[in-house]
Amino acid sequence: LAAWINPKTIRFSSPPMYRGNRILDKSYAGGTPEVSGYDLDLLDGRLRYLISPIQTNGNSSLLTGTTLIPSNTWTHVAATFGSWVAID
């Protein structure tokens, strides 16, 4: 996943699981508690990537970047998922 973003404002909220500035997402919900999808957003000025694969144990991965994303500036952001997960 990759996008050029130019956030006008950066949302700050607590607790950290609240939704941030949404960049993109895709999710599916079935008739079971299993959910599959991803969410790429900004919260507290940092890129977050949530991955929720369909799996029997229901574990999701949430990564938070260390770099502050500036407001009113074009910034390229990217995230990957495969046998490993990364954000940049």
Side-chain angles (χ1 to χ4, degrees):
L1 307 171
W4 281 97
I5 61 171
N6 185 0
K8 300 301 178 202
T9 59
I10 303 293
R11 185 173 297 155
F12 293 87
S13 63
S14 181
M17 286 307 291
Y18 284 179
R19 291 278 184 211
N21 298 80
R22 180 72 47 89
I23 298 169
L24 54 90
D25 69 46
K26 183 175 183 178
S27 61
Y28 324 80
T32 68
E34 298 170 329
V35 175
S36 175
Y38 53 81
D39 182 5
L40 189 63
D41 67 13
L42 288 177
L43 185 68
D44 297 334
R46 290 179 171 78
L47 186 65
R48 292 189 320 164
Y49 184 35
L50 174 67
I51 306 140
S52 301
I54 292 178
Q55 50 191 357
T56 56
N57 62 9
N59 290 334
S60 296
S61 297
L62 175 64
L63 298 176
T64 302
T66 57
T67 302
L68 288 173
I69 304 295
S71 60
N72 297 308
T73 302
W74 284 103
T75 305
H76 185 261
V77 297
T80 63
F81 177 74
S83 57
W84 48 272
V85 178
I87 60 175
D88 182 22

